[in-house]
Amino acid sequence: MHKKGPVTKLIEEIARKEEETKDLKDRYLRALAEMDNYRKRTERELDSYRQYAQVEFFNKIIPVLDSFEHALDGANLDNDHINYVKGVEIIYRQLKDTLHDMGLEEFSSIGESFAPSRHEAVATIVNDEKPENTIVEEISKGYIVKERVIKPAKVMVSKQSKGGIENGKNNRD
């Protein structure tokens, strides 16, 4: 058996380390390429999902659009417009039902306490009959999709005059 000297041992060790480094670099580059391919595939799938969602949305809304077209065509034939108004009411219900089926929920806020996450205050009204920050009038409803507010309700909020009630207690007592 041939004895190896320290230089030979170092040369063999360097060769092993170089081979190990080459292997690690190759594995790193493969992992990097796999991550890039995964990112691209995910982007394509997301884009495909968006397109599918758009098509699904349009397929559900197009019948409402068709109904509006029929109502407008019928308005020319109806001189007193009674049937036109009835037709628009039907289309309104059809649109609300379609949007509800797609996950849109409307909410009303009259009588609730003002919550900035659900409401947009457009004015305050002096009202001594209601506690401070109670919604007394609604300008427009709010809308939620899957518990997320997508449009806050526009509301008018009560405020107290100097002698009014606050939190249900009369300040004049």
Side-chain angles (χ1 to χ4, degrees), residues 20-53:
E20 188 178 322
T21 301
K22 182 180 173 187
D23 182 54
L24 289 173
K25 182 178 178 184
D26 184 54
R27 289 171 48 195
Y28 166 75
L29 291 175
R30 287 177 190 264
L32 200 60
E34 285 179 25
M35 285 299 294
D36 191 46
N37 289 338
Y38 174 76
R39 180 188 54 80
K40 289 176 184 175
R41 185 175 62 249
T42 303
E43 286 175 1
R44 281 192 308 270
E45 288 172 358
L46 187 58
D47 189 46
S48 175
Y49 176 76
R50 284 185 190 127
Q51 289 176 0
Y52 175 76

Side-chain angles (χ1 to χ4, degrees), residues 95-113:
L95 179 59
K96 281 182 72 170
D97 290 345
T98 299
L99 294 173
H100 182 268
D101 291 345
M102 295 175 71
L104 184 70
E105 299 285 335
E106 67 180 41
F107 64 90
S108 182
S109 302
I110 296 176
E112 293 181 8
S113 292

Side-chain angles (χ1 to χ4, degrees), residues 65-78 84 91:
L65 186 62
D66 290 342
S67 296
F68 269 119
E69 191 172 317
H70 293 305
L72 291 172
D73 288 344
N76 297 329
L77 304 174
D78 183 16
Y84 176 73
I91 296 168

Side-chain angles (χ1 to χ4, degrees), residues 9-154:
K9 288 180 182 179
L10 284 174
I11 290 173
E12 288 175 351
E13 181 67 23
I14 289 172
R16 274 195 312 274
K17 294 294 182 185
E18 284 176 347
E19 188 64 33
E20 188 178 322
T21 301
K22 182 180 173 187
D23 182 54
L24 289 173
K25 182 178 178 184
D26 184 54
R27 289 171 48 195
Y28 166 75
L29 291 175
R30 287 177 190 264
L32 200 60
E34 285 179 25
M35 285 299 294
D36 191 46
N37 289 338
Y38 174 76
R39 180 188 54 80
K40 289 176 184 175
R41 185 175 62 249
T42 303
E43 286 175 1
R44 281 192 308 270
E45 288 172 358
L46 187 58
D47 189 46
S48 175
Y49 176 76
R50 284 185 190 127
Q51 289 176 0
Y52 175 76
Q54 277 184 320
V55 168
E56 185 177 345
F57 172 78
F58 289 132
N59 281 335
K60 290 184 178 190
I61 291 297
I62 287 172
V64 178
L65 186 62
D66 290 342
S67 296
F68 269 119
E69 191 172 317
H70 293 305
L72 291 172
D73 288 344
N76 297 329
L77 304 174
D78 183 16
N79 290 334
D80 57 4
H81 301 292
I82 292 172
N83 290 331
Y84 176 73
V85 171
K86 288 179 183 177
V88 170
E89 288 173 348
I90 291 169
I91 296 168
Y92 174 72
R93 284 193 304 273
Q94 181 185 16
L95 179 59
K96 281 182 72 170
D97 290 345
T98 299
L99 294 173
H100 182 268
D101 291 345
M102 295 175 71
L104 184 70
E105 299 285 335
E106 67 180 41
F107 64 90
S108 182
S109 302
I110 296 176
E112 293 181 8
S113 292
F114 177 78
S117 62
R118 290 175 54 93
H119 308 116
E120 178 183 336
V122 295
T124 56
I125 298 174
V126 175
N127 185 328
D128 291 336
E129 296 173 12
K130 301 280 184 185
E132 185 94 9
N133 290 324
T134 299
I135 296 168
V136 292
E137 192 172 329
E138 189 171 67
I139 306 303
S140 66
K141 293 178 181 169
Y143 293 91
I144 296 173
V145 174
K146 295 186 180 181
E147 299 180 18
R148 179 178 176 205
V149 175
I150 63 168
K151 181 193 172 283
K154 293 185 179 186

